Amino acid sequence: MIKLIRDSCTKCTAARYFRGYRYNNTRKFATEKEFVSSADVVIIGGGIAGCNTLYQLTKRGVNAVLLERAKITSGTTWHTAGLVWSLRPCDLEVKLLQDSRTVYSNLEKETGDYAGWINNGGMFISRSKVRTQEYMRLHTLGKAMGIPSEVLEPNEAQKLFPLLDPSVFKMALYSPQDGTIDPAMACSALLKAATKNGGKVYEDCPVLDIHYAHNLLGNKEVTAVHTDKGVIKTKCVVNCGGAWGPRVARFAGVPSLPIVPFKHAYVVCEATPEIRGGPNIRDHDVNLYIKVQGESCHVGGYEGNPHMLDQVPDHLQFHLYDLDWDVFGVHMNSAATLCPKLGTVGVRSTVCGPESFTPDHKPLLGEDPNVFGLYHNCGYNSAGMMFSAGCGVQMAEWIITGRPSYNMFTFDVRRFTPAQLSRPHWVRECSHESYVRNYNIVFPNDEPLAGRDASHDALHQELVDDGAVMQARAGWERPGFYMPGEKIRVQQYDWGGTHDYPRNLDQRYEEVLKGDYTFGFSKYHDLIGKEALSCRNAAALFNMSYYGKFYLTGPDAQRTADLAFTADLTKKEDRVVYSLLLNDKGGVEADVTVSILDGGSGQLHGPIFKGPGFYVVSSGFNAMHTLAHLRRIIQTHKLRANITDVSKQLCILSIQGPDSQRILQRYTDAGLSNDAFPVNTHRSIHVSKAPYSPENKTYTCRALRVGWSGELGWELHVPASHAVQIYKALSAAKGLKNAGWRALTSLSAEKGYHLWNADLRPDDNPIEANLGFACRKGGEYIGNEHVTKAKQNGVTKKYAYFTLDDKVALYGQEAIFRNGEPVGYLRRGDYAYYLDKPIGIGYVSNNGLEVTKSYLNDGDYEIEVMGKKYKATLHLRSPFDPTGQRILGNYGEQGMDENTHEPHAGQNERAGGSE
């Protein structure tokens, strides 16, 4: 048992100490002169996020102002532990942590004042085999990204941190670049540099309102910030309000921001001299962290039954709550098992304050999709000291240039949909789960239990009845794979049995998820393989209804398309074109298919409009991101164009595979041959409910001859009102098998199709990604100059495929070695079931030099998986069907060429079928 000092004055003493220390170190930077009337950027919130944002903006010459309603750091920053780690299971976060470390370590040199950075290293403790595998993945990713780390035996770890009991754990991962940062000293140094660069800081200056106006296009734009000291005219506001961020957002008319405040705590132990200079500790298996501060340990963690707060009062500053030992005591017991001596030392003080958490445990950054000029930089999930310095760099570039340099999608506020944000219970239960599971192992195919069924398509119940095991993406439920004969329903979130909620009686979905709790092959590997091979060898039916679907219309629709899309969209009206959307830096913001339209019949799949129009289909998880990007282009260029979101109103059923034409032909009188219905075209067709049945009712939908599997196939874009009828008819077809997204993403990797936000991101140029064919030579599409420059000058990284002969699971983030040297890491890994090999996709670099075809071909490659290297074969193009014959229906080697199909009405008529 831990020894407690239950002095009633302990909490008050700690509060006075921290408050006085931080306050005295920051108040001297407050601007005492007259209040400004205008600024380029106004930052609201004087915590670490606001200070880092001000520092980075003023460093770039921006006239920026920071407003703090009380005193600098008085919100949640002042009581944070200040741990800064180097390794995370995500390449973006590793880069941001590198940038944070650089900022903090250079502040003293820049300002002449000690900024509180202590580089004492960090150590991750593993108590299990699977946790060791996760740490080995971190170790491998660190090699690829230049982050040093060392795998230690328990006795070796004890030499670095003498309090450890080596019998309790199996191994440790030591990272020498980790450390701690003092919040007050860091903010002090940041503000000293910022004010020297012309920035202004106003304390005791609460914001009363954010003014905005509607422009000629009807969109909201920020115009000013109203404070109790006056009004500041500005076109850009950054919300760094932390736990008060939702309140700041409401000033600008944004009804909800997904942040929930929690009580988060740590305790300061009595001195143990032997730990001086030792590394910080993270024992993820028991949700524990230990920070070394001189000769004292700060002990904290993430408990399973945390205290959630409805809101944090406006007047709260330098505030601490009483610590609930019934909740927090589990961490002290864990600390005592890992470090027995901590069970005998006393607790000097307790620190329990409010912290902001989000539904997916990622910060909220970027421009709000509802108000132009309103940016968010908050919701750091108790990791603000770690990430805010790196995020401050990206925020400054975001504001100044329009987009950040890194792929910030997983932090971008636009990752959430209006359907998610409109449900307060969704935000609260997801934030609870993200807090509780903060230290859980990050498995590649894990799924959340909270916040499910926020959105689902019209086919949801039918698919569950047919055995679909659902995944959650952007609030939508989509079929991951099928377990025929089972009905596995996702249950309402039971809060893990805490907060007086009883555990769910039906826990079958949770049991199914456990089959994916591995870094090897999933328990469902063979099941998913059967679905994938049914598509390769016969036919598969995919429900892709969660995709984003938009109509782009209006007088300036063509002009908008010319600017937004890289492809040539002046072709005839029945074409379906694969295109990219780039930012001003030439990075890929989205990849979409665009169907060129000319009027319609007045139905959902063919609306009536004047002039040219476009039907845009994007990935579902980034649909909001794509929509916001298009609206930003319309706003910037003041175009008279409309975007109508019909994602909910239309379902997509995709039939793919060698037998897809034969099967679909029985349900339509439209011609489906290459002559009648060429690849990459679309048309409105009739689909019958059931051939030869007494009630042979027909339905109209839009058919697109495209697919993401690399096989012959069609997508049927069906109004939701009769999607169930068409699904029931098609699912009864002999030889057509239901298949889920796990199979589809495997098929796409095997074929070599890009997956946005994995092997194609905003930090990738189309030339780097082998997508030059998707960019027209002429025209003035956004980012064109960067594509042209990359074509002329070459690129310093290049997209490539890797196959392994060894049967080992690849998931992405594995290191790529060329001739024994790390040259990158896999963005995506999967199993190619038709090739019967693991396949990985990544970018190969050359130490900043041009990557040529000969450079790629001349190397010997290895992929490191959890510390072990495997020989790999590099491919410039996917080895599966590199000439694209299967898409055309040319299956001659299988005796399944399209000309061998039995004839059906309209099959060979060029204009056959009903339009």
Side-chain angles (χ1 to χ4, degrees), residues 761-772:
R761 310 187 310 199
D763 52 348
D764 299 322
N765 184 284
I767 306 305
E768 297 170 338
N770 288 344
L771 289 174

Side-chain angles (χ1 to χ4, degrees), residues 283-442:
D283 189 347
H284 291 95
D285 288 314
V286 292
N287 298 305
L288 176 75
Y289 66 79
I290 301 174
K291 171 192 172 183
V292 175
Q293 184 79 39
E295 296 182 351
S296 177
C297 288
H298 295 195
V299 178
Y302 294 85
E303 52 280 346
N305 55 337
H307 284 292
M308 302 177 70
L309 301 168
D310 290 330
Q311 61 181 4
V312 183
D314 281 341
H315 64 272
L316 204 69
Q317 52 179 299
F318 297 112
H319 180 78
L320 292 178
Y321 301 104
D322 289 319
L323 186 63
D324 185 341
W325 285 101
D326 291 335
V327 172
F328 188 83
V330 63
H331 303 312
M332 303 310 299
N333 293 331
S334 297
T337 62
L338 181 65
C339 304
K341 187 170 182 178
L342 291 181
T344 63
V345 301
V347 172
R348 182 186 302 168
S349 60
T350 65
V351 180
C352 180
E355 291 280 3
S356 58
F357 287 81
T358 63
D360 57 1
H361 213 268
K362 306 289 185 186
L364 305 177
L365 270 67
E367 189 173 32
D368 193 282
N370 303 296
V371 185
F372 292 112
L374 175 64
Y375 290 79
H376 301 292
N377 185 8
C378 51
Y380 275 94
N381 302 278
S382 195
M385 297 306 299
M386 277 202 292
F387 285 121
S388 62
C391 288
V393 176
Q394 298 306 310
M395 281 301 303
E397 295 190 15
W398 213 324
I399 292 166
I400 296 170
T401 68
R403 294 300 292 156
S405 295
Y406 293 168
N407 170 39
M408 298 295 290
F409 175 74
T410 53
F411 285 20
D412 194 327
V413 69
R414 298 182 298 183
R415 68 189 184 270
F416 295 115
T417 67
Q420 291 172 303
L421 300 182
S422 65
R423 295 172 169 86
H425 71 278
W426 177 87
V427 175
R428 288 183 67 80
E429 67 180 44
C430 288
S431 298
H432 174 268
E433 186 180 41
S434 74
Y435 182 101
V436 170
R437 299 180 66 175
N438 182 26
Y439 278 7
N440 279 23
I441 295 173
V442 181

Side-chain angles (χ1 to χ4, degrees), residues 454-458 476 545 547 549 645-651 720:
S455 293
H456 52 74
D457 58 72
W476 286 80
S545 301
Y547 266 6
K549 313 165 201 78
D645 185 355
V646 292
S647 301
K648 195 79 173 180
Q649 287 80 15
L650 289 173
C651 293

Side-chain angles (χ1 to χ4, degrees), residues 3 10 23 62 72 196 231 306 327 438 499 599 640 670-671 805 842:
K3 177 183 175 184
T10 296
Y23 176 63
V62 176
I72 296 298
K196 183 179 179 181
V231 175
V327 172
N438 182 26
H499 299 282
R640 295 172 298 161
D805 290 330

Side-chain angles (χ1 to χ4, degrees), residues 864-901:
E864 181 172 306
V865 182
M866 292 185 288
K868 184 178 179 180
K869 293 179 181 177
Y870 297 87
K871 185 173 177 55
T873 303
L874 177 140
H875 308 271
L876 299 180
R877 302 183 68 178
S878 169
F880 173 80
D881 189 26
T883 61
Q885 293 301 305
R886 298 169 74 96
I887 300 170
L888 298 172
N890 296 332
Y891 293 94
E893 74 281 3
Q894 299 181 36
M896 298 166 65
D897 190 276
E898 74 161 48
N899 294 324
T900 69
H901 294 155

Side-chain angles (χ1 to χ4, degrees), residues 209-212 220 222 247-254 371 374:
D209 201 5
I210 297 175
H211 296 178
Y212 57 88
K220 293 194 290 188
V222 168
R247 215 160 308 176
V248 175
R250 286 195 290 271
F251 286 144
V254 177
V371 185
L374 175 64

